[in-house]
């Protein structure tokens, strides 16, 4: 794998393109608008609604990385499948992933959605914790992408795709509870979490587990994923979506929320994963807790959400290139070794 085409050159897509270039790939970036400033990779304006143009371009590539909204990914994944090349994306959308799983049954290349932060890196961490136990009874995974200096009752900033946030706040969430696979409502199961003495709240959101319920049903009795926010956020969002009925107009809801709480530069990504179970006949608990902040990457200061998301998928692409992951079929995040991930040129960012 040498040539990679990156679709969507927002903060995450542009950074992913730069990281891939720095890692030795030949990168073609695609967007409706030419990226600002000088870029080391090739830029193209490609009409993604033109199936023949997409097929022609994909035929010249070894892999495609979609950094576009989730609702565009099924058609792009199908085009990658038809071209016989690898496919990667960042989606948290469950139906999109299910469609890609079906494609992977006949794919010549690797089909790897859910390669961002959550789902993505958090699943790699959770699986690593589970494997440390002889018998794991519970694994809880929590991620919060937050402003360092929150304002207002919402205490939030939309540094991530508003479409993705609205989607995960409203769609049902898959869990394993007491050995049973279940679907539960989003923005429920509220709990308090403390990181370095800071109080956060966590609640169920959709898609963060990826395929872990498939993998661990019958092996781990309790698995769930929640998003972390500053206290009071869940109440505000439940009022907005359910009492004001904004759940019935997702597009407008996203626009209102971004206008109210635009992106910030000083953000933080909290990762809190824990597991409990038996090791050598003793009940133990293991944790992975980190706070990732903006850092300089590829010569520019990057927000925490941008580099953790872009860094995750690029490290996985590096692993495929280096033969540390399969080159065909469907990739589950929980099948990725955390140690191998952290040893990659880009994955090492998480270890610093």
């Amino acid at each position: 794998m040498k040539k990679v085409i990156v679709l969507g050159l927002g903060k995450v897509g542009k950074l992913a393109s730069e990281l891939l270039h720095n890692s030795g790939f030949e990168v073609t970036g695609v967007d409706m608008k030419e990226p600002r400033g000088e870029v080391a990779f090739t830029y193209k304006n490609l009409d993604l609604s033109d199936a023949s143009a997409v097929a022609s371009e994909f035929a010249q590539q070894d892999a495609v990385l979609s950094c576009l909204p989730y609702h565009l990914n099924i058609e792009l994944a199908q085009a990658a499948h038809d071209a016989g090349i690898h496919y990667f994306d960042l989606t948290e959308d469950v139906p999109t992933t299910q469609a890609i799983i079906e494609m992977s049954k006949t794919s010549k290349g690797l089909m790897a959605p859910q390669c961002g932060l959550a789902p993505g890196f958090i699943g790699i961490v959770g699986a690593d914790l589970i494997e440390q136990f002889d018998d794991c009874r519970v694994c809880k995974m929590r991620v919060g992408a937050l402003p360092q200096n929150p304002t207002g009752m919402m205490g939030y900033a939309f540094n991530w795709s508003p479409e993705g946030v609205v989607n995960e706040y409203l769609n049902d969430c898959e869990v394993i509870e007491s050995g049973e696979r279940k679907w539960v409502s989003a923005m429920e199961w509220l709990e308090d979490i403390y990181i370095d003495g800071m109080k956060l709240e966590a609640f169920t959101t959709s898609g963060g587990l990826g395929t872990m319920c498939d993998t661990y049903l019958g092996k781990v009795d309790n698995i769930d994923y929640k998003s972390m926010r500053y206290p009071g956020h869940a109440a505000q969002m439940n009022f907005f979506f359910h009492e004001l009925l904004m759940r019935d107009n997702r597009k407008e809801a996203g626009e209102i929320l971004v206008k109210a709480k635009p992106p910030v530069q000083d953000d933080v990504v909290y990762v809190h994963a824990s597991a409990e179970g038996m090791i050598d006949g003793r009940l133990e608990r293991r944790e992975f807790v980190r706070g990732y902040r903006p850092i300089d990457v590829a010569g520019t200061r990057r927000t925490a959400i941008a580099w953790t998301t872009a860094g995750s998928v690029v490290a996985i692409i590096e692993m495929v290139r280096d033969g540390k992951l399969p080159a065909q079929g469907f990739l589950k995040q929980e099948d990725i070794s955390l140690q191998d991930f952290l040893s990659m040129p880009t994955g090492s960012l998480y270890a610093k």
Side-chain angles (χ1 to χ4, degrees):
M1 180 169 54
K2 184 70 174 178
K3 298 180 179 180
V4 181
I5 185 168
V6 179
L7 310 179
L9 298 177
K11 290 181 179 179
V12 172
K14 183 180 178 184
L15 176 55
S17 299
E18 293 169 341
L19 290 170
L20 287 166
H21 171 80
N22 291 346
S23 192
F25 293 92
E26 295 178 19
V27 181
T28 300
V30 171
D31 202 289
M32 295 177 64
K33 297 180 180 179
E34 187 171 354
R36 293 182 180 180
E38 294 184 6
V39 293
F41 55 88
T42 301
Y43 162 76
K44 285 188 177 182
N45 186 331
L46 178 66
D47 183 1
L48 296 178
S49 65
D50 185 338
S52 62
V54 171
S56 177
E57 183 62 42
F58 281 14
Q60 304 173 51
Q61 304 292 334
D62 300 318
V64 55
L65 164 58
S66 174
C67 298
L68 295 169
Y70 71 89
H71 58 80
L72 300 174
N73 283 339
I74 291 179
E75 290 186 8
L76 294 169
Q78 186 64 58
H81 171 279
D82 294 344
I85 64 177
H86 301 307
Y87 173 82
F88 304 87
D89 74 27
L90 309 170
T91 188
E92 79 293 330
D93 186 63
V94 175
T96 297
T97 299
Q98 290 300 319
I100 294 173
I101 289 174
E102 288 301 311
M103 294 178 207
S104 71
K105 295 177 180 178
T106 56
S107 64
K108 294 180 180 179
L110 183 68
M111 306 298 286
Q114 304 180 322
C115 292
L117 179 62
F121 180 65
I122 187 63
I124 300 172
V125 170
D128 183 74
L129 290 175
I130 291 171
E131 292 305 311
Q132 296 178 33
F133 292 86
D134 301 321
D135 180 18
C136 184
R137 68 178 186 180
V138 59
C139 182
K140 298 181 178 182
M141 287 156 281
R142 315 287 186 249
V143 173
L146 300 166
Q148 292 185 36
N149 307 294
T151 60
M153 291 185 290
M154 196 183 302
Y156 196 61
F158 279 81
N159 278 31
W160 182 242
S161 160
E163 293 176 302
V165 174
V166 170
N167 196 42
E168 65 183 24
Y169 278 18
L170 292 179
N171 290 354
D172 286 346
C173 314
E174 193 175 19
V175 303
I176 297 176
E177 184 183 29
S178 299
E180 294 185 23
R181 190 173 185 173
K182 300 178 179 179
W183 290 91
V184 300
S185 297
M187 293 193 291
E188 300 290 348
W189 290 18
L190 196 67
E191 67 174 332
D192 293 335
I193 290 180
Y194 292 85
I195 298 179
D196 290 334
M198 177 185 298
K199 183 178 179 179
L200 299 170
E201 66 180 23
F203 49 86
T204 51
T205 51
S206 174
L209 285 181
T211 56
M212 294 188 78
C213 288
D214 284 331
T215 300
Y216 293 109
L217 182 64
K219 300 176 182 178
V220 180
D221 285 343
N222 297 277
I223 294 180
D224 61 67
Y225 171 82
K226 298 180 182 180
S227 291
M228 293 185 290
R229 300 290 186 258
Y230 293 113
H233 182 88
Q236 296 293 322
M237 290 295 93
N238 271 302
F239 174 78
F240 177 73
F241 282 115
H242 299 299
E243 293 204 27
L244 297 185
L245 303 182
M246 291 306 299
R247 64 175 182 268
D248 298 326
N249 194 336
R250 296 190 178 199
K251 185 175 185 298
E252 185 180 357
E255 292 170 350
I256 291 172
L257 291 170
V258 171
K259 185 176 181 180
K261 293 295 179 183
V264 297
Q265 294 299 307
D266 294 326
D267 67 332
V268 59
V269 168
Y270 289 116
V271 174
H272 189 297
S274 64
E276 298 176 359
M278 304 301 292
I279 300 177
D280 295 330
R282 298 178 60 183
L283 180 62
E284 295 198 25
R285 175 183 173 89
R286 299 285 173 88
E287 296 179 333
F288 181 102
V289 182
R290 302 287 188 277
Y292 298 114
R293 288 173 170 76
I295 59 174
D296 291 331
V297 182
T300 303
R301 194 72 168 174
R302 313 288 182 165
T303 60
I305 187 61
W307 77 256
T308 53
T309 303
S312 180
V313 68
V314 170
I316 291 169
I317 293 173
E318 291 171 341
M319 292 178 71
V320 176
R321 176 193 60 188
D322 295 351
K324 295 180 181 294
L325 289 173
Q328 190 177 16
F330 182 80
L331 177 67
K332 294 182 178 182
Q333 298 300 308
E334 56 269 26
D335 289 339
I336 300 171
S337 161
L338 178 60
Q339 287 68 37
D340 286 348
F341 177 96
L342 296 175
S343 72
M344 291 294 100
T346 303
S348 65
L349 292 173
Y350 290 82
K352 296 179 179 177

